[in-house]
PDB file of all heavy atoms in Angstrom:
ATOM      1  N   LEU A   1       0.828  -1.194  -0.005  1.00 98.00           N
ATOM      2  CA  LEU A   1       0.021  -0.031   0.003  1.00 98.00           C
ATOM      3  C   LEU A   1       0.862   1.246   0.004  1.00 98.00           C
ATOM      4  O   LEU A   1       1.899   1.294   0.661  1.00 98.00           O
ATOM      5  CB  LEU A   1      -0.908  -0.004   1.232  1.00 98.00           C
ATOM      6  CG  LEU A   1      -1.791  -1.197   1.450  1.00 98.00           C
ATOM      7  CD1 LEU A   1      -2.330  -1.235   2.873  1.00 98.00           C
ATOM      8  CD2 LEU A   1      -2.899  -1.239   0.400  1.00 98.00           C
ATOM      9  N   GLY A   2       0.427   2.253  -0.730  1.00 97.00           N
ATOM     10  CA  GLY A   2       1.129   3.507  -0.740  1.00 97.00           C
ATOM     11  C   GLY A   2       0.114   4.658  -0.856  1.00 97.00           C
ATOM     12  O   GLY A   2      -1.016   4.473  -1.284  1.00 97.00           O
ATOM     13  N   GLN A   3       0.575   5.814  -0.443  1.00 97.00           N
ATOM     14  CA  GLN A   3      -0.267   7.006  -0.474  1.00 97.00           C
ATOM     15  C   GLN A   3       0.007   7.809  -1.731  1.00 97.00           C
ATOM     16  O   GLN A   3       1.137   7.936  -2.147  1.00 97.00           O
ATOM     17  CB  GLN A   3       0.010   7.859   0.740  1.00 97.00           C
ATOM     18  CG  GLN A   3      -0.669   9.226   0.773  1.00 97.00           C
ATOM     19  CD  GLN A   3      -0.349   9.999   1.990  1.00 97.00           C
ATOM     20  OE1 GLN A   3      -0.914   9.788   3.038  1.00 97.00           O
ATOM     21  NE2 GLN A   3       0.618  10.921   1.878  1.00 97.00           N
ATOM     22  N   LEU A   4      -1.078   8.312  -2.361  1.00 96.00           N
ATOM     23  CA  LEU A   4      -0.968   9.093  -3.565  1.00 96.00           C
ATOM     24  C   LEU A   4      -2.060  10.132  -3.552  1.00 96.00           C
ATOM     25  O   LEU A   4      -3.146   9.890  -3.044  1.00 96.00           O
ATOM     26  CB  LEU A   4      -1.110   8.212  -4.818  1.00 96.00           C
ATOM     27  CG  LEU A   4      -0.867   8.861  -6.187  1.00 96.00           C
ATOM     28  CD1 LEU A   4       0.604   9.296  -6.273  1.00 96.00           C
ATOM     29  CD2 LEU A   4      -1.204   7.898  -7.284  1.00 96.00           C
ATOM     30  N   LYS A   5      -1.773  11.294  -4.079  1.00 95.00           N
ATOM     31  CA  LYS A   5      -2.830  12.325  -4.161  1.00 95.00           C
ATOM     32  C   LYS A   5      -3.868  11.861  -5.182  1.00 95.00           C
ATOM     33  O   LYS A   5      -3.594  11.860  -6.417  1.00 95.00           O
ATOM     34  CB  LYS A   5      -2.225  13.680  -4.575  1.00 95.00           C
ATOM     35  CG  LYS A   5      -3.227  14.742  -4.515  1.00 95.00           C
ATOM     36  CD  LYS A   5      -2.612  16.137  -4.887  1.00 95.00           C
ATOM     37  CE  LYS A   5      -3.716  17.209  -4.787  1.00 95.00           C
ATOM     38  NZ  LYS A   5      -3.171  18.490  -5.166  1.00 95.00           N
ATOM     39  N   LEU A   6      -5.009  11.412  -4.711  1.00 96.00           N
ATOM     40  CA  LEU A   6      -6.078  10.916  -5.527  1.00 96.00           C
ATOM     41  C   LEU A   6      -7.342  11.589  -5.083  1.00 96.00           C
ATOM     42  O   LEU A   6      -7.451  12.153  -3.978  1.00 96.00           O
ATOM     43  CB  LEU A   6      -6.219   9.381  -5.360  1.00 96.00           C
ATOM     44  CG  LEU A   6      -5.100   8.544  -5.864  1.00 96.00           C
ATOM     45  CD1 LEU A   6      -5.195   7.108  -5.280  1.00 96.00           C
ATOM     46  CD2 LEU A   6      -5.024   8.460  -7.364  1.00 96.00           C
ATOM     47  N   ASN A   7      -8.368  11.525  -5.929  1.00 96.00           N
ATOM     48  CA  ASN A   7      -9.636  12.092  -5.571  1.00 96.00           C
ATOM     49  C   ASN A   7     -10.278  11.259  -4.432  1.00 96.00           C
ATOM     50  O   ASN A   7      -9.858  10.190  -4.154  1.00 96.00           O
ATOM     51  CB  ASN A   7     -10.582  12.102  -6.799  1.00 96.00           C
ATOM     52  CG  ASN A   7     -10.129  13.134  -7.805  1.00 96.00           C
ATOM     53  OD1 ASN A   7      -9.505  14.154  -7.464  1.00 96.00           O
ATOM     54  ND2 ASN A   7     -10.435  12.887  -9.056  1.00 96.00           N
ATOM     55  N   GLN A   8     -11.356  11.811  -3.878  1.00 97.00           N
ATOM     56  CA  GLN A   8     -12.098  11.216  -2.795  1.00 97.00           C
ATOM     57  C   GLN A   8     -12.456   9.733  -3.121  1.00 97.00           C
ATOM     58  O   GLN A   8     -13.077   9.467  -4.119  1.00 97.00           O
ATOM     59  CB  GLN A   8     -13.350  12.003  -2.487  1.00 97.00           C
ATOM     60  CG  GLN A   8     -14.086  11.593  -1.254  1.00 97.00           C
ATOM     61  CD  GLN A   8     -13.393  12.132   0.009  1.00 97.00           C
ATOM     62  OE1 GLN A   8     -12.720  13.122   0.002  1.00 97.00           O
ATOM     63  NE2 GLN A   8     -13.560  11.403   1.102  1.00 97.00           N
ATOM     64  N   ASP A   9     -12.049   8.830  -2.260  1.00 97.00           N
ATOM     65  CA  ASP A   9     -12.407   7.445  -2.295  1.00 97.00           C
ATOM     66  C   ASP A   9     -12.013   6.706  -3.620  1.00 97.00           C
ATOM     67  O   ASP A   9     -12.631   5.768  -4.085  1.00 97.00           O
ATOM     68  CB  ASP A   9     -13.904   7.228  -2.057  1.00 97.00           C
ATOM     69  CG  ASP A   9     -14.287   7.631  -0.653  1.00 97.00           C
ATOM     70  OD1 ASP A   9     -13.445   7.466   0.262  1.00 97.00           O
ATOM     71  OD2 ASP A   9     -15.387   8.129  -0.423  1.00 97.00           O
ATOM     72  N   VAL A  10     -10.908   7.196  -4.195  1.00 98.00           N
ATOM     73  CA  VAL A  10     -10.336   6.540  -5.416  1.00 98.00           C
ATOM     74  C   VAL A  10      -9.155   5.691  -4.964  1.00 98.00           C
ATOM     75  O   VAL A  10      -8.343   6.087  -4.141  1.00 98.00           O
ATOM     76  CB  VAL A  10      -9.869   7.584  -6.454  1.00 98.00           C
ATOM     77  CG1 VAL A  10      -9.123   6.871  -7.554  1.00 98.00           C
ATOM     78  CG2 VAL A  10     -11.118   8.343  -7.005  1.00 98.00           C
ATOM     79  N   VAL A  11      -9.118   4.463  -5.444  1.00 98.00           N
ATOM     80  CA  VAL A  11      -8.032   3.541  -5.202  1.00 98.00           C
ATOM     81  C   VAL A  11      -7.408   3.155  -6.562  1.00 98.00           C
ATOM     82  O   VAL A  11      -8.147   2.926  -7.522  1.00 98.00           O
ATOM     83  CB  VAL A  11      -8.591   2.237  -4.495  1.00 98.00           C
ATOM     84  CG1 VAL A  11      -7.515   1.180  -4.374  1.00 98.00           C
ATOM     85  CG2 VAL A  11      -9.193   2.585  -3.154  1.00 98.00           C
ATOM     86  N   ARG A  12      -6.096   3.181  -6.614  1.00 98.00           N
ATOM     87  CA  ARG A  12      -5.406   2.911  -7.881  1.00 98.00           C
ATOM     88  C   ARG A  12      -4.608   1.610  -7.760  1.00 98.00           C
ATOM     89  O   ARG A  12      -3.681   1.581  -6.908  1.00 98.00           O
ATOM     90  CB  ARG A  12      -4.509   4.102  -8.233  1.00 98.00           C
ATOM     91  CG  ARG A  12      -4.076   4.023  -9.693  1.00 98.00           C
ATOM     92  CD  ARG A  12      -3.412   5.309 -10.121  1.00 98.00           C
ATOM     93  NE  ARG A  12      -2.006   5.269 -10.012  1.00 98.00           N
ATOM     94  CZ  ARG A  12      -1.192   6.243 -10.365  1.00 98.00           C
ATOM     95  NH1 ARG A  12      -1.669   7.351 -10.902  1.00 98.00           N
ATOM     96  NH2 ARG A  12       0.093   6.113 -10.236  1.00 98.00           N
ATOM     97  N   ILE A  13      -4.943   0.651  -8.550  1.00 98.00           N
ATOM     98  CA  ILE A  13      -4.206  -0.621  -8.535  1.00 98.00           C
ATOM     99  C   ILE A  13      -3.122  -0.516  -9.649  1.00 98.00           C
ATOM    100  O   ILE A  13      -3.365  -0.197 -10.790  1.00 98.00           O
ATOM    101  CB  ILE A  13      -5.156  -1.780  -8.896  1.00 98.00           C
ATOM    102  CG1 ILE A  13      -6.215  -1.940  -7.815  1.00 98.00           C
ATOM    103  CG2 ILE A  13      -4.382  -3.066  -9.099  1.00 98.00           C
ATOM    104  CD1 ILE A  13      -7.309  -2.977  -8.102  1.00 98.00           C
ATOM    105  N   GLU A  14      -1.915  -0.723  -9.186  1.00 98.00           N
ATOM    106  CA  GLU A  14      -0.732  -0.626 -10.069  1.00 98.00           C
ATOM    107  C   GLU A  14      -0.395  -1.973 -10.644  1.00 98.00           C
ATOM    108  O   GLU A  14      -0.350  -2.967  -9.942  1.00 98.00           O
ATOM    109  CB  GLU A  14       0.463  -0.085  -9.310  1.00 98.00           C
ATOM    110  CG  GLU A  14       0.225   1.245  -8.584  1.00 98.00           C
ATOM    111  CD  GLU A  14      -0.023   2.402  -9.487  1.00 98.00           C
ATOM    112  OE1 GLU A  14       0.230   2.306 -10.741  1.00 98.00           O
ATOM    113  OE2 GLU A  14      -0.502   3.442  -8.974  1.00 98.00           O
ATOM    114  N   LEU A  15      -0.117  -2.012 -11.966  1.00 98.00           N
ATOM    115  CA  LEU A  15       0.168  -3.314 -12.582  1.00 98.00           C
ATOM    116  C   LEU A  15       1.678  -3.561 -12.774  1.00 98.00           C
ATOM    117  O   LEU A  15       2.102  -4.726 -12.804  1.00 98.00           O
ATOM    118  CB  LEU A  15      -0.512  -3.354 -13.966  1.00 98.00           C
ATOM    119  CG  LEU A  15      -2.024  -3.263 -13.933  1.00 98.00           C
ATOM    120  CD1 LEU A  15      -2.565  -3.428 -15.336  1.00 98.00           C
ATOM    121  CD2 LEU A  15      -2.626  -4.240 -13.025  1.00 98.00           C
ATOM    122  N   ASN A  16       2.482  -2.460 -12.887  1.00 97.00           N
ATOM    123  CA  ASN A  16       3.850  -2.664 -13.229  1.00 97.00           C
ATOM    124  C   ASN A  16       4.828  -1.986 -12.250  1.00 97.00           C
ATOM    125  O   ASN A  16       4.521  -0.887 -11.724  1.00 97.00           O
ATOM    126  CB  ASN A  16       4.137  -2.009 -14.587  1.00 97.00           C
ATOM    127  CG  ASN A  16       3.367  -2.621 -15.730  1.00 97.00           C
ATOM    128  OD1 ASN A  16       3.227  -3.867 -15.751  1.00 97.00           O
ATOM    129  ND2 ASN A  16       2.852  -1.851 -16.598  1.00 97.00           N
ATOM    130  N   GLY A  17       5.942  -2.636 -11.958  1.00 97.00           N
ATOM    131  CA  GLY A  17       7.075  -2.009 -11.292  1.00 97.00           C
ATOM    132  C   GLY A  17       8.107  -1.778 -12.401  1.00 97.00           C
ATOM    133  O   GLY A  17       8.477  -2.660 -13.154  1.00 97.00           O
ATOM    134  N   ILE A  18       8.536  -0.539 -12.475  1.00 96.00           N
ATOM    135  CA  ILE A  18       9.371  -0.147 -13.608  1.00 96.00           C
ATOM    136  C   ILE A  18      10.765   0.259 -13.165  1.00 96.00           C
ATOM    137  O   ILE A  18      10.940   1.068 -12.284  1.00 96.00           O
ATOM    138  CB  ILE A  18       8.683   1.039 -14.369  1.00 96.00           C
ATOM    139  CG1 ILE A  18       7.307   0.593 -14.836  1.00 96.00           C
ATOM    140  CG2 ILE A  18       9.546   1.508 -15.543  1.00 96.00           C
ATOM    141  CD1 ILE A  18       6.422   1.720 -15.345  1.00 96.00           C
ATOM    142  N   GLY A  19      11.736  -0.304 -13.814  1.00 95.00           N
ATOM    143  CA  GLY A  19      13.160   0.013 -13.585  1.00 95.00           C
ATOM    144  C   GLY A  19      13.893  -0.253 -14.892  1.00 95.00           C
ATOM    145  O   GLY A  19      13.429   0.163 -15.932  1.00 95.00           O
ATOM    146  N   ASP A  20      15.043  -0.912 -14.828  1.00 95.00           N
ATOM    147  CA  ASP A  20      15.767  -1.271 -16.050  1.00 95.00           C
ATOM    148  C   ASP A  20      14.978  -2.321 -16.866  1.00 95.00           C
ATOM    149  O   ASP A  20      15.321  -2.569 -18.003  1.00 95.00           O
ATOM    150  CB  ASP A  20      17.180  -1.696 -15.761  1.00 95.00           C
ATOM    151  CG  ASP A  20      17.257  -2.966 -14.873  1.00 95.00           C
ATOM    152  OD1 ASP A  20      16.228  -3.313 -14.246  1.00 95.00           O
ATOM    153  OD2 ASP A  20      18.331  -3.586 -14.760  1.00 95.00           O
ATOM    154  N   LYS A  21      13.993  -2.809 -16.278  1.00 96.00           N
ATOM    155  CA  LYS A  21      13.075  -3.774 -16.880  1.00 96.00           C
ATOM    156  C   LYS A  21      11.705  -3.511 -16.329  1.00 96.00           C
ATOM    157  O   LYS A  21      11.577  -2.941 -15.218  1.00 96.00           O
ATOM    158  CB  LYS A  21      13.557  -5.204 -16.513  1.00 96.00           C
ATOM    159  CG  LYS A  21      12.698  -6.332 -16.998  1.00 96.00           C
ATOM    160  CD  LYS A  21      13.304  -7.662 -16.610  1.00 96.00           C
ATOM    161  CE  LYS A  21      12.365  -8.796 -17.038  1.00 96.00           C
ATOM    162  NZ  LYS A  21      12.836 -10.113 -16.640  1.00 96.00           N
ATOM    163  N   ILE A  22      10.656  -3.894 -16.959  1.00 97.00           N
ATOM    164  CA  ILE A  22       9.321  -3.762 -16.421  1.00 97.00           C
ATOM    165  C   ILE A  22       8.860  -5.133 -15.893  1.00 97.00           C
ATOM    166  O   ILE A  22       8.874  -6.147 -16.611  1.00 97.00           O
ATOM    167  CB  ILE A  22       8.302  -3.305 -17.515  1.00 97.00           C
ATOM    168  CG1 ILE A  22       8.649  -1.849 -17.960  1.00 97.00           C
ATOM    169  CG2 ILE A  22       6.839  -3.291 -16.985  1.00 97.00           C
ATOM    170  CD1 ILE A  22       7.830  -1.344 -19.126  1.00 97.00           C
ATOM    171  N   TYR A  23       8.518  -5.134 -14.623  1.00 97.00           N
ATOM    172  CA  TYR A  23       7.957  -6.333 -13.982  1.00 97.00           C
ATOM    173  C   TYR A  23       6.469  -6.134 -13.816  1.00 97.00           C
ATOM    174  O   TYR A  23       6.054  -5.124 -13.259  1.00 97.00           O
ATOM    175  CB  TYR A  23       8.595  -6.594 -12.618  1.00 97.00           C
ATOM    176  CG  TYR A  23      10.016  -7.083 -12.741  1.00 97.00           C
ATOM    177  CD1 TYR A  23      11.072  -6.199 -12.650  1.00 97.00           C
ATOM    178  CD2 TYR A  23      10.315  -8.410 -12.985  1.00 97.00           C
ATOM    179  CE1 TYR A  23      12.428  -6.632 -12.772  1.00 97.00           C
ATOM    180  CE2 TYR A  23      11.648  -8.844 -13.108  1.00 97.00           C
ATOM    181  CZ  TYR A  23      12.656  -7.960 -12.983  1.00 97.00           C
ATOM    182  OH  TYR A  23      13.942  -8.389 -13.125  1.00 97.00           O
ATOM    183  N   ARG A  24       5.727  -7.073 -14.312  1.00 97.00           N
ATOM    184  CA  ARG A  24       4.241  -6.928 -14.261  1.00 97.00           C
ATOM    185  C   ARG A  24       3.672  -7.927 -13.204  1.00 97.00           C
ATOM    186  O   ARG A  24       4.125  -9.057 -13.172  1.00 97.00           O
ATOM    187  CB  ARG A  24       3.616  -7.209 -15.616  1.00 97.00           C
ATOM    188  CG  ARG A  24       2.114  -6.966 -15.692  1.00 97.00           C
ATOM    189  CD  ARG A  24       1.648  -6.966 -17.143  1.00 97.00           C
ATOM    190  NE  ARG A  24       0.235  -6.690 -17.263  1.00 97.00           N
ATOM    191  CZ  ARG A  24      -0.253  -5.485 -17.456  1.00 97.00           C
ATOM    192  NH1 ARG A  24       0.507  -4.448 -17.502  1.00 97.00           N
ATOM    193  NH2 ARG A  24      -1.578  -5.342 -17.545  1.00 97.00           N
ATOM    194  N   THR A  25       2.732  -7.497 -12.435  1.00 97.00           N
ATOM    195  CA  THR A  25       2.114  -8.387 -11.455  1.00 97.00           C
ATOM    196  C   THR A  25       1.520  -9.632 -12.155  1.00 97.00           C
ATOM    197  O   THR A  25       1.008  -9.516 -13.243  1.00 97.00           O
ATOM    198  CB  THR A  25       1.078  -7.634 -10.628  1.00 97.00           C
ATOM    199  OG1 THR A  25       0.614  -8.551  -9.625  1.00 97.00           O
ATOM    200  CG2 THR A  25      -0.115  -7.219 -11.436  1.00 97.00           C
ATOM    201  N   LYS A  26       1.572 -10.715 -11.479  1.00 96.00           N
ATOM    202  CA  LYS A  26       0.931 -11.966 -11.935  1.00 96.00           C
ATOM    203  C   LYS A  26      -0.341 -12.197 -11.092  1.00 96.00           C
ATOM    204  O   LYS A  26      -0.976 -13.245 -11.274  1.00 96.00           O
ATOM    205  CB  LYS A  26       1.901 -13.133 -11.815  1.00 96.00           C
ATOM    206  CG  LYS A  26       3.070 -12.968 -12.818  1.00 96.00           C
ATOM    207  CD  LYS A  26       4.021 -14.149 -12.771  1.00 96.00           C
ATOM    208  CE  LYS A  26       4.970 -14.096 -13.905  1.00 96.00           C
ATOM    209  NZ  LYS A  26       6.222 -13.542 -13.626  1.00 96.00           N
ATOM    210  N   TYR A  27      -0.635 -11.273 -10.253  1.00 96.00           N
ATOM    211  CA  TYR A  27      -1.810 -11.395  -9.406  1.00 96.00           C
ATOM    212  C   TYR A  27      -3.060 -10.994 -10.160  1.00 96.00           C
ATOM    213  O   TYR A  27      -3.114  -9.943 -10.765  1.00 96.00           O
ATOM    214  CB  TYR A  27      -1.656 -10.490  -8.150  1.00 96.00           C
ATOM    215  CG  TYR A  27      -2.817 -10.586  -7.243  1.00 96.00           C
ATOM    216  CD1 TYR A  27      -3.196 -11.721  -6.538  1.00 96.00           C
ATOM    217  CD2 TYR A  27      -3.691  -9.497  -7.055  1.00 96.00           C
ATOM    218  CE1 TYR A  27      -4.286 -11.792  -5.734  1.00 96.00           C
ATOM    219  CE2 TYR A  27      -4.713  -9.493  -6.230  1.00 96.00           C
ATOM    220  CZ  TYR A  27      -5.076 -10.669  -5.576  1.00 96.00           C
ATOM    221  OH  TYR A  27      -6.153 -10.728  -4.749  1.00 96.00           O
ATOM    222  N   ASP A  28      -4.092 -11.851 -10.118  1.00 95.00           N
ATOM    223  CA  ASP A  28      -5.368 -11.575 -10.698  1.00 95.00           C
ATOM    224  C   ASP A  28      -6.177 -10.660  -9.742  1.00 95.00           C
ATOM    225  O   ASP A  28      -6.767 -11.116  -8.786  1.00 95.00           O
ATOM    226  CB  ASP A  28      -6.161 -12.817 -11.059  1.00 95.00           C
ATOM    227  CG  ASP A  28      -7.531 -12.539 -11.637  1.00 95.00           C
ATOM    228  OD1 ASP A  28      -7.889 -11.393 -11.914  1.00 95.00           O
ATOM    229  OD2 ASP A  28      -8.266 -13.525 -11.808  1.00 95.00           O
ATOM    230  N   TYR A  29      -6.142  -9.398  -9.984  1.00 95.00           N
ATOM    231  CA  TYR A  29      -6.698  -8.410  -9.064  1.00 95.00           C
ATOM    232  C   TYR A  29      -8.196  -8.175  -9.333  1.00 95.00           C
ATOM    233  O   TYR A  29      -8.812  -7.342  -8.626  1.00 95.00           O
ATOM    234  CB  TYR A  29      -5.965  -7.043  -9.258  1.00 95.00           C
ATOM    235  CG  TYR A  29      -6.034  -6.559 -10.681  1.00 95.00           C
ATOM    236  CD1 TYR A  29      -7.084  -5.771 -11.109  1.00 95.00           C
ATOM    237  CD2 TYR A  29      -5.007  -6.865 -11.604  1.00 95.00           C
ATOM    238  CE1 TYR A  29      -7.135  -5.353 -12.438  1.00 95.00           C
ATOM    239  CE2 TYR A  29      -5.054  -6.464 -12.882  1.00 95.00           C
ATOM    240  CZ  TYR A  29      -6.129  -5.680 -13.316  1.00 95.00           C
ATOM    241  OH  TYR A  29      -6.197  -5.246 -14.589  1.00 95.00           O
ATOM    242  N   SER A  30      -8.825  -8.879 -10.216  1.00 94.00           N
ATOM    243  CA  SER A  30     -10.218  -8.600 -10.614  1.00 94.00           C
ATOM    244  C   SER A  30     -11.200  -8.769  -9.432  1.00 94.00           C
ATOM    245  O   SER A  30     -12.120  -7.968  -9.279  1.00 94.00           O
ATOM    246  CB  SER A  30     -10.641  -9.486 -11.790  1.00 94.00           C
ATOM    247  OG  SER A  30     -10.531 -10.869 -11.448  1.00 94.00           O
ATOM    248  N   LEU A  31     -10.998  -9.770  -8.552  1.00 92.00           N
ATOM    249  CA  LEU A  31     -11.878  -9.958  -7.431  1.00 92.00           C
ATOM    250  C   LEU A  31     -11.684  -8.800  -6.416  1.00 92.00           C
ATOM    251  O   LEU A  31     -12.676  -8.294  -5.844  1.00 92.00           O
ATOM    252  CB  LEU A  31     -11.638 -11.320  -6.772  1.00 92.00           C
ATOM    253  CG  LEU A  31     -12.604 -11.658  -5.589  1.00 92.00           C
ATOM    254  CD1 LEU A  31     -14.096 -11.612  -6.037  1.00 92.00           C
ATOM    255  CD2 LEU A  31     -12.240 -13.012  -5.008  1.00 92.00           C
ATOM    256  N   LEU A  32     -10.452  -8.407  -6.174  1.00 93.00           N
ATOM    257  CA  LEU A  32     -10.145  -7.287  -5.287  1.00 93.00           C
ATOM    258  C   LEU A  32     -10.802  -6.027  -5.799  1.00 93.00           C
ATOM    259  O   LEU A  32     -11.423  -5.281  -5.127  1.00 93.00           O
ATOM    260  CB  LEU A  32      -8.687  -7.125  -5.101  1.00 93.00           C
ATOM    261  CG  LEU A  32      -8.230  -5.927  -4.269  1.00 93.00           C
ATOM    262  CD1 LEU A  32      -8.849  -5.979  -2.840  1.00 93.00           C
ATOM    263  CD2 LEU A  32      -6.726  -5.821  -4.222  1.00 93.00           C
ATOM    264  N   GLU A  33     -10.635  -5.818  -7.138  1.00 96.00           N
ATOM    265  CA  GLU A  33     -11.288  -4.646  -7.774  1.00 96.00           C
ATOM    266  C   GLU A  33     -12.778  -4.658  -7.549  1.00 96.00           C
ATOM    267  O   GLU A  33     -13.414  -3.623  -7.180  1.00 96.00           O
ATOM    268  CB  GLU A  33     -10.973  -4.626  -9.289  1.00 96.00           C
ATOM    269  CG  GLU A  33     -11.585  -3.491 -10.005  1.00 96.00           C
ATOM    270  CD  GLU A  33     -11.292  -3.533 -11.474  1.00 96.00           C
ATOM    271  OE1 GLU A  33     -10.854  -4.620 -12.021  1.00 96.00           O
ATOM    272  OE2 GLU A  33     -11.509  -2.528 -12.138  1.00 96.00           O
ATOM    273  N   GLU A  34     -13.399  -5.810  -7.711  1.00 96.00           N
ATOM    274  CA  GLU A  34     -14.835  -5.968  -7.527  1.00 96.00           C
ATOM    275  C   GLU A  34     -15.265  -5.616  -6.079  1.00 96.00           C
ATOM    276  O   GLU A  34     -16.243  -4.967  -5.876  1.00 96.00           O
ATOM    277  CB  GLU A  34     -15.253  -7.379  -7.922  1.00 96.00           C
ATOM    278  CG  GLU A  34     -16.700  -7.699  -7.756  1.00 96.00           C
ATOM    279  CD  GLU A  34     -16.987  -9.187  -8.042  1.00 96.00           C
ATOM    280  OE1 GLU A  34     -16.578  -9.622  -9.123  1.00 96.00           O
ATOM    281  OE2 GLU A  34     -17.592  -9.826  -7.187  1.00 96.00           O
ATOM    282  N   LYS A  35     -14.512  -6.146  -5.133  1.00 95.00           N
ATOM    283  CA  LYS A  35     -14.822  -5.880  -3.711  1.00 95.00           C
ATOM    284  C   LYS A  35     -14.678  -4.403  -3.380  1.00 95.00           C
ATOM    285  O   LYS A  35     -15.477  -3.860  -2.621  1.00 95.00           O
ATOM    286  CB  LYS A  35     -13.917  -6.715  -2.808  1.00 95.00           C
ATOM    287  CG  LYS A  35     -14.104  -8.193  -2.987  1.00 95.00           C
ATOM    288  CD  LYS A  35     -15.451  -8.675  -2.469  1.00 95.00           C
ATOM    289  CE  LYS A  35     -15.520 -10.156  -2.568  1.00 95.00           C
ATOM    290  NZ  LYS A  35     -16.876 -10.642  -2.286  1.00 95.00           N
ATOM    291  N   LEU A  36     -13.678  -3.744  -3.902  1.00 97.00           N
ATOM    292  CA  LEU A  36     -13.482  -2.332  -3.644  1.00 97.00           C
ATOM    293  C   LEU A  36     -14.621  -1.514  -4.272  1.00 97.00           C
ATOM    294  O   LEU A  36     -15.187  -0.639  -3.594  1.00 97.00           O
ATOM    295  CB  LEU A  36     -12.154  -1.858  -4.252  1.00 97.00           C
ATOM    296  CG  LEU A  36     -10.887  -2.284  -3.495  1.00 97.00           C
ATOM    297  CD1 LEU A  36      -9.634  -2.146  -4.361  1.00 97.00           C
ATOM    298  CD2 LEU A  36     -10.749  -1.520  -2.175  1.00 97.00           C
TER     299      LEU A  36
END
């Protein structure tokens, strides 16, 4: 979890960690998104 300046009650799910290479999550976040 991290804090970011977002609008009221907005949650942002991040898919990629970016550095010298892009690492993409392998987690299926769809159920979490639905619950939120």
Side-chain angles (χ1 to χ4, degrees):
L1 304 166
Q3 175 179 278
L4 186 66
K5 186 177 180 182
L6 294 165
N7 290 332
Q8 189 76 28
D9 295 328
V10 171
V11 174
R12 194 167 96 176
I13 297 174
E14 306 293 347
L15 301 183
N16 300 318
I18 301 168
D20 60 345
K21 178 179 175 181
I22 296 174
Y23 289 96
R24 188 169 181 90
T25 185
K26 292 183 170 98
Y27 178 67
D28 179 5
Y29 58 86
S30 59
L31 184 58
L32 176 58
E33 179 183 15
E34 180 184 307
K35 297 293 184 187
L36 287 163

